[in-house]
């Protein structure tokens, strides 16, 4: 669908797409898409995706109607006055601990430390 709309699929990573004319890049991961490009060209890209999928759209930015922070693929992405920041989503670590049944244990700051009584 994206190649039919003029996007070129990445050679090293087939989940990445770029449209040179629109200056828009897309990363697809499962049913998530992250689209980056000039605001005026994002609406054209949105129409291409909406023709095929039902979308929930969030826009990162500092203008009205945009979010200064969002979660994308277990990362927190923030728009700041100095640029864009990224950090691991702490919810992901909690899910891993729960899924591996590691909750309720005492933590140690030093590997091999003796058990506290």
């Amino acid at each position: 669908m994206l190649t039919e709309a003029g996007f070129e699929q990445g050679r090293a990573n087939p989940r990445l797409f770029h449209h040179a004319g629109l200056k828009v890049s897309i990363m697809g991961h499962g049913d998530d898409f992250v689209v980056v490009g000039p605001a005026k060209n994002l609406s054209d890209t949105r129409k291409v995706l909406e023709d095929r999928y039902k979308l929930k759209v969030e826009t990162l930015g500092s203008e009205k109607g945009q979010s200064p922070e969002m979660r994308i693929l277990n990362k927190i992405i923030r728009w700041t006055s100095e640029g864009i920041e990224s950090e691991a989503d702490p919810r992901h670590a909690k899910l891993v601990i729960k899924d591996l049944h590691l909750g309720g244990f005492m933590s140690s700051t030093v590997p091999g430390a003796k058990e506290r009584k």
Side-chain angles (χ1 to χ4, degrees):
M1 171 225 14
L2 289 172
T3 55
E4 290 173 11
F7 285 85
E8 184 178 332
Q9 189 171 19
R11 288 186 215 126
N13 186 338
R15 295 182 181 141
L16 301 178
F17 295 84
H18 182 73
H19 194 295
L22 294 175
K23 297 180 181 167
V24 171
S25 296
I26 298 177
M27 180 200 60
H29 184 81
D31 62 352
D32 293 324
F33 293 98
V34 178
V35 184
V36 179
K40 63 182 179 180
N41 298 341
L42 293 178
S43 61
D44 294 335
T45 305
R46 183 175 177 170
K47 288 176 192 170
V48 168
L49 293 170
E50 282 179 330
D51 285 345
R52 180 100 181 242
Y53 303 103
K54 182 179 178 182
L55 301 181
K56 175 187 168 194
V57 177
E58 279 186 89
T59 304
L60 183 69
S62 61
E63 297 178 14
K64 185 177 180 180
Q66 298 178 338
S67 300
E69 180 178 293
M70 62 178 54
R71 286 180 166 76
I72 302 172
L73 302 174
N74 297 318
K75 301 256 186 297
I76 298 173
I77 310 297
R78 258 184 228 96
W79 182 277
T80 71
S81 59
E82 286 132 23
I84 296 173
E85 294 179 349
S86 171
E87 72 175 76
D89 186 343
R91 296 182 310 169
H92 184 65
K94 289 178 184 176
L95 288 172
V96 169
I97 289 168
K98 179 183 173 194
D99 289 348
L100 295 176
H101 308 289
L102 297 173
F105 293 99
M106 297 289 293
S107 63
S108 171
T109 57
V110 180
K114 292 184 179 182
E115 182 180 330
R116 290 188 251 166
K117 297 191 180 199

